[in-house]
Amino acid sequence: MTRTNDIALFQAVDIKKNYGSVTALHGANLTAKRGEVVALIGPSGSGKSTLLRCLNFLEKPSSGAVVLGGERFEAKDFAKPNRTARGRLIGLRRRVGMVFQSFNLWPHRTALENVMEGPLQVLGVSRAESKDRAQALLARVGLTQREHAYPSELSGGQQQRVAIARMLATDPEVLLFDEPTSALDPELVGEVLGVMQSLAQEGRTMLVVTHEIGFARDVADKVVFMTQGAIREEGTPEEVLHGTRSEALRSFLGRFRRNEVRA
């Protein structure tokens, strides 16, 4: 891939996360350059989603820091945030969008209203401008004809595409995807991955927790393998997916290859 430049836009610095006596993250360090697509892979329970949620403080790290565009956000400053810290946290979340496994759409609002909410509430734009922006984004993800549908009237793939449009509505600098296809029926996965691939081609900075090894191989600039709460390998798709000497990673990838053969 040739989309990236050498500017480190987003960094996780020694991120640790404890749940009582259980350590979920053992000091993760990760860098995403501007325009880079980073795929995080690994077995369930390896800490991928926890790390992703720590990057915008939906999960508060036990220690460590996040750096976005040179601005450093220390975990200790947000343990019991004061007004200044809360304001900085809101600013971080405006700049770092996120798409979840389970869509998280407002069930009582239409697709259009779901996408309008961010510009209205977060950016403070007018209703007319918010509507124009939302309609353009729904067209962007192929849902022009479904803007007045409620989430219950949409397929899982359509709901996830609305969720992507909603994230894009506030124009974040970094896009986080937490297993965006894991809740979808197999026949709907492609429509969501297609939108994500087009975002990558636009030069968006993306961190994607995924079990879609084909996406990691074909779209990502960097692949990160995690297990037992730690980053074990990272590099280009060729280096990680085809050149690994790690028995843990070979075993993990072997499961997907066996599934492909059975399919």
Side-chain angles (χ1 to χ4, degrees):
M1 299 294 177
T2 59
R3 295 182 299 266
T4 65
N5 57 40
D6 291 329
I7 299 174
L9 175 64
F10 199 42
Q11 294 175 277
V13 182
D14 198 25
I15 295 287
K16 298 178 182 177
K17 178 63 181 178
N18 301 316
Y19 296 100
S21 61
V22 177
T23 300
L25 290 174
H26 297 271
N29 291 280
L30 183 64
T31 298
K33 298 175 183 178
R34 189 176 298 277
E36 189 170 41
V37 178
V38 181
L40 285 79
I41 65 172
S44 298
S46 60
K48 308 182 302 296
S49 292
T50 300
L51 175 58
L52 202 74
R53 292 171 66 89
C54 283
L55 294 179
N56 64 357
F57 287 83
L58 287 177
E59 290 278 359
K60 292 181 180 177
S62 300
S63 62
V66 170
V67 182
L68 174 58
E71 184 176 359
R72 192 177 181 97
F73 299 83
E74 294 279 356
K76 63 184 180 182
D77 296 335
F78 301 99
K80 294 182 179 179
N82 56 25
R83 179 176 295 181
T84 299
R86 284 194 293 270
R88 292 187 69 219
L89 190 56
I90 291 170
L92 174 68
R93 289 175 178 163
R94 285 177 180 171
R95 299 168 66 190
V96 181
M98 188 161 187
V99 171
F100 302 88
Q101 298 178 40
S102 53
F103 323 135
N104 286 13
L105 299 177
W106 296 101
H108 59 290
R109 293 180 177 156
T110 65
L112 182 67
E113 291 166 340
N114 265 280
V115 181
M116 288 175 62
E117 187 71 10
L120 283 170
Q121 301 300 326
V122 178
L123 302 182
V125 305
S126 69
R127 178 164 288 276
E129 182 181 344
S130 180
K131 182 177 180 181
D132 287 344
R133 184 179 302 197
Q135 287 177 323
L137 285 168
L138 286 172
R140 167 74 180 73
V141 299
L143 290 173
T144 297
Q145 304 301 319
R146 304 296 284 156
E147 66 177 48
H148 298 301
Y150 289 91
S152 62
E153 300 170 324
L154 299 172
S155 70
Q158 290 172 334
Q159 289 185 65
Q160 195 62 292
R161 283 186 281 156
V162 173
I164 293 172
R166 179 183 59 181
M167 173 183 64
L168 295 174
T170 55
D171 197 24
E173 297 173 55
V174 179
L175 313 182
L176 307 180
F177 293 84
D178 186 11
E179 298 196 38
T181 60
S182 64
L184 303 180
D185 292 332
E187 64 270 19
L188 302 177
V189 168
E191 63 189 57
V192 173
L193 292 181
V195 172
M196 293 170 62
Q197 184 166 0
S198 69
L199 292 172
Q201 291 168 345
E202 290 176 6
R204 298 275 189 166
T205 306
M206 300 165 57
L207 287 86
V208 184
V209 171
T210 184
H211 286 290
E212 300 293 336
I213 301 302
F215 178 87
R217 180 191 63 231
D218 298 335
V219 180
D221 301 288
K222 180 192 292 182
V223 176
V224 174
F225 173 64
M226 294 186 67
T227 185
Q228 298 179 332
I231 293 174
R232 305 297 181 181
E233 290 198 42
E234 64 178 287
T236 66
E238 180 67 24
E239 290 168 341
V240 175
L241 300 179
H242 300 292
T244 181
R245 297 181 179 180
S246 162
E247 181 58 38
L249 179 51
R250 285 202 301 268
S251 175
F252 172 74
L253 294 173
R255 293 199 297 272
F256 287 94
R257 290 172 183 141
R258 287 192 294 272
N259 288 339
E260 289 176 356
V261 170
R262 285 196 293 269

